Amino acid sequence: MFIFSQAWKQLGRHPWRSLLLLLVSLIVAMWSTFGGAVVHENTKARTETLDKQSATAVVRPSSSLLQTRQGDDSSWTDHYLSWSDYDKLASAAQTKGVQYKYTVAESIPVRQSASIQAITTDSTSKASEDKTGGNLTLQSFYTSEAAQVNEYGTYKVIEGKGLDYSNSLAQNVLVSEELAKKNNLKVGSTIKIGNPTDSETTYEYTVCGIYRYTSNPDNALGDDAKFAKDNRNNVLYTTYTTFAINGLDTTDGKGWSVPDLNVVFTFENRSDIDKFAAALKADLPKGMEVSSPTIKHYMQSIEALNTLSETTRIVMIVLWICGALALIGLVLLAALPRSNEIGMALLVGVSKGRIAWQFMLETLFPTLIGLAIGITIGATCANPLAGALNAQHSVHATGGLIWQAIWIGALACIALSAIAGIRVAAFRTMRMFQSPYISDSATSEE
């Protein structure tokens, strides 16, 4: 107990040095715990969580082909895949033994009316709807699974209710929050839209809900769209059944009335997507490519987390090196100049072991306290701190990570205290018979 009190008193004699030991230990422990949580979450997101993502694939125009698209040139619809095209591709996949399920998304541009006007900007093309097919887009989904891989981005209904895929008689649409504000639309409002190639043919829908986007794919356009129909806030969502009942799922349409058919293939395993792409390679129309919207959207969603993980890893390495040098320097600064103290203690009969134990405790006290506080802060603040650093992903310190930080930190504290103990063990007893110890002893005898 005497050794403990002596060690504590020694820390009080040098408060700034003791405080520095505590603070450096705290900062290293805190960032190590936080950084470990970020790195662990990023690894998990790219392995375990990624494997749980829905394995879907679509056959859509490549980015180079999309760059040639002109929204006022209806010949672009020549690139659309028809049901017969998909039958051919499906057969090629089945021939290679690739098993899948599928759902459907289909869209066409539609004309605005007095009841609903599209959102436009100063940069929006003034081309007539006879050229563009309309300033709005009607997008349909066969199932909720098709909606989850929506090319304009995932969305949530903030007012009203979502689409009812089981009701074949419903004439309902979802409108964007921005479009609803522009047209003063409410849940239950009725709107009228027109056929892209026949202005005399119109369709009447009821607004069943108002949506807001929750993701932003790279190729999704907003106010930067050249044509109003390509602005994702001008998209009306309905069910494929409603779309088909109104005669929009046609095989003999011309120009913009040709529907943009998008068959979404679903597989049991992510590896099947590569097999599917390989099976279709020989039969893919020019300019088309196989991609996985769910995997692509997911990888985009963890991009910020990956960036933070890489930065955190670098900071941890730098902090470990600088922290270790700082702590070792502080320990040596506390132990090296104390030759007189060690010599005098030995002269009065104190053993080297007890002196070394006191020196070790002087290091253990502040570093262990700093370690405990640092790990606590790092673990409890991991998610808020990750959010503040724009991780865009939940980050939590697991029990295993916390215990790992405790054990590694404790070993580091013991190693530092051992350095202080070695300082005592390395003291040469012969120095006791040299000045100032002899002179001090002689003086006391006189």
Side-chain angles (χ1 to χ4, degrees):
M1 199 65 188
F2 175 76
I3 297 176
F4 281 85
S5 62
Q6 285 297 106
W8 192 258
K9 288 178 182 179
Q10 183 65 27
L11 291 174
R13 295 190 189 102
H14 303 279
W16 290 110
R17 190 166 61 204
S18 303
L19 184 61
L20 279 174
L21 274 171
L22 188 149
L23 286 177
V24 174
S25 301
L26 186 154
I27 293 170
V28 173
M30 183 199 73
W31 192 265
S32 297
T33 304
F34 165 70
V38 172
V39 172
H40 175 268
E41 189 61 40
N42 183 56
T43 302
K44 180 181 176 182
R46 292 180 170 276
T47 53
E48 180 182 335
T49 309
L50 176 59
D51 290 336
K52 293 179 180 178
Q53 299 302 305
S54 174
T56 62
V58 295
V59 182
R60 301 298 286 164
S62 64
S63 57
S64 58
L65 179 58
L66 285 173
Q67 290 176 358
T68 67
R69 178 182 180 273
Q70 293 296 324
D72 56 358
D73 182 4
S74 62
S75 65
W76 170 258
T77 59
D78 294 341
H79 296 290
Y80 291 170
L81 296 181
S82 64
W83 280 110
S84 60
D85 293 324
Y86 275 109
D87 286 340
K88 183 178 179 180
L89 295 175
S91 297
Q94 291 173 347
T95 300
K96 297 294 185 179
V98 180
Q99 301 297 316
Y100 58 82
K101 296 179 181 179
Y102 72 91
T103 185
V104 176
E106 197 167 34
S107 67
I108 60 168
V110 289
R111 298 171 185 259
Q112 59 189 8
S113 69
S115 61
I116 184 166
Q117 295 286 306
I119 298 170
T120 59
T121 63
D122 293 338
S123 60
T124 302
S125 171
K126 301 301 186 290
S128 69
E129 291 190 308
D130 289 333
K131 288 284 189 180
T132 64
N135 288 331
L136 302 166
T137 293
L138 182 64
Q139 174 71 62
S140 69
F141 302 117
Y142 185 63
T143 61
S144 59
E145 289 75 18
Q148 291 171 5
V149 294
N150 180 28
E151 292 182 315
Y152 297 103
T154 54
Y155 61 82
K156 66 176 181 179
V157 176
I158 58 173
E159 291 184 39
K161 58 183 180 181
L163 298 172
D164 184 357
Y165 299 99
S166 62
N167 188 351
S168 61
L169 300 179
Q171 293 289 311
N172 295 332
V173 291
L174 299 175
V175 300
S176 70
E177 183 179 20
E178 293 79 4
L179 196 59
K181 288 180 180 178
K182 176 178 174 62
N183 294 277
N184 196 29
L185 296 174
K186 310 290 184 183
V187 174
S189 297
T190 300
I191 62 172
K192 186 177 290 186
I193 54 179
N195 186 279
T197 56
D198 181 7
S199 59
E200 299 298 321
T201 302
T202 59
Y203 313 95
E204 193 172 277
Y205 292 93
T206 300
V207 176
C208 67
I210 297 173
Y211 69 85
R212 178 186 298 158
Y213 287 106
T214 57
S215 67
N216 186 21
D218 289 340
N219 59 343
L221 301 175
D223 291 337
D224 55 339
K226 180 179 179 180
F227 297 92
K229 65 179 181 180
D230 296 329
N231 183 337
R232 66 180 188 156
N233 293 312
N234 286 328
V235 178
L236 310 173
Y237 293 109
T238 189
T239 65
Y240 174 78
T241 304
T242 301
F243 190 86
I245 287 176
N246 290 329
L248 300 175
D249 179 30
T250 178
T251 57
D252 56 3
K254 302 296 182 182
W256 290 117
S257 65
V258 176
D260 184 6
L261 176 62
N262 180 14
V263 175
V264 181
F265 297 88
T266 305
F267 308 92
E268 290 187 1
N269 304 302
R270 266 198 316 125
S271 59
D272 289 338
I273 296 177
D274 295 332
K275 297 177 184 177
F276 179 75
L280 268 55
K281 188 173 182 180
D283 297 293
L284 274 181
K286 185 178 180 181
M288 293 292 174
E289 65 180 9
V290 177
S291 62
S292 175
T294 49
I295 301 302
K296 183 178 180 180
H297 292 172
Y298 175 75
M299 295 305 294
Q300 289 174 344
S301 73
I302 63 172
E303 187 174 333
L305 176 64
N306 184 58
T307 300
L308 178 60
S309 175
E310 293 176 353
T311 303
T312 301
R313 195 191 302 271
I314 294 173
V315 173
M316 279 197 298
I317 294 173
V318 173
L319 197 59
W320 289 338
I321 295 173
C322 294
L325 293 176
L327 289 170
I328 292 173
L330 288 169
V331 171
L332 292 177
L333 182 63
L336 288 179
R338 297 166 69 180
S339 297
N340 291 348
E341 180 183 342
I342 298 171
M344 291 302 297
L346 291 173
L347 279 173
V348 298
V350 181
S351 67
K352 274 191 175 183
R354 295 193 65 176
I355 301 171
W357 182 227
Q358 177 186 325
F359 274 45
M360 293 174 70
L361 288 176
E362 291 172 15
T363 300
L364 277 175
F365 283 152
T367 54
L368 283 177
I369 292 173
L371 174 68
I373 298 174
I375 291 177
T376 302
I377 295 175
T380 55
C381 298
N383 198 44
L385 183 56
L389 294 175
N390 195 37
Q392 299 179 10
H393 198 283
S394 296
V395 173
H396 300 284
T398 63
L401 176 67
I402 293 173
W403 277 111
Q404 186 178 26
I406 291 173
W407 286 115
I408 293 176
L411 288 174
C413 292
I414 292 172
L416 286 169
S417 65
I419 294 175
I422 290 172
R423 166 67 183 93
V424 177
F427 181 83
R428 292 183 298 171
T429 308
M430 290 299 297
R431 295 186 60 186
M432 295 171 56
F433 302 102
Q434 302 172 1
S435 61
Y437 309 112
I438 295 176
S439 60
D440 289 343
S441 178
T443 300
S444 62
E445 289 176 359
E446 291 176 2

